[in-house]
Structures are given as structure tokens and as C-alpha cells.
Amino acid sequence: RTSMRLIEEMAYDLDFTNTKVIVTERVAILENITAIVMISEKALTVQSGKKYTTVVGEDFVIKEISEGRLIIEGKIQRVEFL
């Protein structure tokens, strides 16, 4: 039974078709992204496969952009999955 949870967790960690998001009040880390779709002063939308993730807030600063990974800082108000 424990091994089933481990297998499910590994499958989730290795699933590159969904955006993984780690969010605090001031930082958002988005992984497994394929494209930045939209950037404005109050929102940032990224694509991962056929799905989109939007981070809404204020005063965004992009701290890191690398292949499949984006780190932004600012006042984060919410995250939307479309």
C-alpha cells in the first residue's frame, strides 16, 4: 500500500504536462511551462500543454526565466487554472 502512494507521487513529479506551482504571498514558482502567453502589470499567464495558469497580483518582477521554469516576485493575490 505504501508503494502505491510512492508510485503515484513519482508519476505526479514526473508529469510534465501540467504546470506545477509553488506560491507564497510574495513569490510564485511555475514549472513545466511551455510558453508565456500574456504579461501585464496585474497578471501573468503561462501555458503548459493544453492548459493555462494565471498568477494575478501587483508589482510583478520576473526573477528567473529558464527552460520550463519561471520565478516571479510581487504581491500575489490568486492563481487561476484554465
Side-chain angles (χ1 to χ4, degrees):
R1 197 167 154 129
T2 302
S3 62
M4 185 59 143
R5 282 191 230 142
L6 178 59
I7 290 170
E8 290 170 353
E9 185 174 329
M10 288 178 62
Y12 175 79
D13 287 341
L14 297 173
D15 178 8
F16 298 110
T17 59
N18 291 315
T19 304
K20 290 188 176 59
V21 181
I22 300 170
V23 179
T24 68
E25 194 173 314
R26 299 279 315 155
V27 176
I29 302 171
L30 299 105
E31 296 182 337
N32 299 338
I33 63 171
T34 55
I36 297 172
V37 178
M38 191 253 338
I39 299 175
S40 72
E41 292 181 15
K42 300 207 178 245
L44 178 131
T45 301
V46 297
Q47 182 177 6
S48 179
K50 295 180 182 178
K51 298 180 181 181
Y52 297 89
T53 304
T54 300
V55 179
V56 179
E58 298 175 352
D59 304 322
F60 286 153
V61 174
I62 296 175
K63 289 303 211 177
E64 178 185 325
I65 298 177
S66 58
E67 187 174 334
R69 181 181 170 103
L70 177 69
I71 300 175
I72 57 174
E73 289 184 356
K75 183 180 177 186
I76 298 170
Q77 297 168 334
R78 70 181 181 275
V79 178
E80 300 172 355
F81 298 95
L82 309 167

